[in-house]
């Protein structure tokens, strides 16, 4: 646990780590001015699809193009949350349109929302009260594969083993 919440290590494919470059991490949004500058420098068509986001260990929102890998956006570091986010312009402000914890590289639990909310508030972006699309990740205790739980069916799609109710994707020794 970190001061702000659980810290998630990268658990995705090792070959994606080779894409990490110094200075190539997502753009940090520490204030409303940072977000406004970032948003105003983007072409309008970029807002037609979601962006990749992470909340770094310091609680700062980082944004990158959707085609970016979460591990690259995070510079390879552990995160407090990760997923996809889209924005809409409202009179006098920006707002989150949709947001999920969809990151198969970090597999953050839905309980990571408070870290995301705090980072969005700091960036001056209006937000919903939680993820608009929640993804539930679990590691199968039998075959060790990572699963996305659909329709509350906690059964491994790889071996039919029972998946735990509590988040277990990463832990000591993994």
């Amino acid at each position: 646990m970190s001061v702000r919440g659980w810290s998630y290590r990268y658990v995705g494919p090792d070959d994606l780590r080779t894409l990490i470059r110094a200075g190539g991490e997502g753009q940090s949004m520490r204030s409303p001015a940072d977000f406004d500058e970032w948003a105003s420098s983007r072409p309008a068509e970029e807002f037609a699809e979601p962006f990749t986001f992470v909340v770094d260990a310091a609680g700062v929102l980082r944004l990158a193009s959707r085609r970016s890998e979460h591990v690259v956006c995070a510079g390879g570091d552990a995160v407090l949350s990760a997923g996809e986010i889209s924005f809409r312009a409202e009179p006098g402000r920006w707002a989150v349109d949709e947001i999920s914890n969809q990151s198969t590289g970090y597999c953050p639990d839905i309980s990571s929302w408070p870290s995301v909310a705090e980072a969005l508030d700091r960036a001056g972006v209006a937000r919903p009260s939680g993820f608009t699309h929640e993804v539930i990740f679990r590691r199968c205790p039998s075959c060790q594969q990572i699963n996305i739980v659909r329709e509350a069916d906690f059964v491994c799609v790889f071996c039919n083993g029972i998946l735990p109710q509590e988040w277990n994707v990463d832990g000591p020794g993994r």
Side-chain angles (χ1 to χ4, degrees):
M1 279 295 240
S2 76
V3 174
R4 288 180 157 70
W6 186 263
S7 181
Y8 299 91
R9 295 184 299 177
Y10 179 71
V11 295
D14 284 334
D15 61 323
L16 294 182
R17 289 180 188 275
T18 64
L19 301 173
I20 299 168
R21 302 284 182 264
E25 54 276 331
Q27 183 74 38
S28 294
M29 306 294 143
R30 291 183 172 87
S31 68
D34 287 346
F35 188 86
D36 290 342
E37 181 180 328
W38 174 84
S40 66
S41 71
R42 310 253 78 73
E45 56 270 8
E46 264 193 63
F47 289 93
E49 62 180 28
F51 294 90
T52 294
F53 84 86
V54 300
V55 176
D56 68 20
V60 175
L61 177 68
R62 292 187 191 176
L63 296 170
S65 119
R66 183 177 191 186
R67 291 170 185 80
S68 299
E69 295 293 335
H70 288 98
V71 68
V72 174
C73 187
D77 295 332
V79 300
L80 300 180
S81 192
E84 295 184 348
I85 189 170
S86 61
F87 301 99
R88 67 179 180 274
E90 294 182 344
R93 69 179 187 171
W94 283 94
V96 171
D97 191 34
E98 293 187 7
I99 186 167
S100 75
N101 62 316
Q102 176 68 47
S103 169
T104 56
Y106 285 99
C107 303
D109 193 50
I110 57 176
S111 66
S112 68
W113 173 254
S115 294
V116 179
E118 184 179 316
L120 287 166
D121 290 348
R122 189 176 308 109
V125 179
R127 61 173 175 78
S129 60
F131 291 114
T132 58
H133 177 71
E134 295 178 337
V135 181
I136 299 173
F137 296 99
R138 296 294 186 269
R139 184 178 295 277
C140 179
S142 298
C143 71
Q144 297 301 303
Q145 293 294 316
I146 296 173
N147 287 254
I148 293 177
V149 175
R150 300 186 196 289
E151 298 177 11
D153 188 15
F154 285 79
V155 175
C156 178
V157 297
F158 302 99
C159 75
N160 287 327
I162 301 299
L163 299 173
Q165 295 291 312
E166 299 297 319
W167 186 89
N168 71 331
V169 174
D170 191 20
R174 286 202 201 276

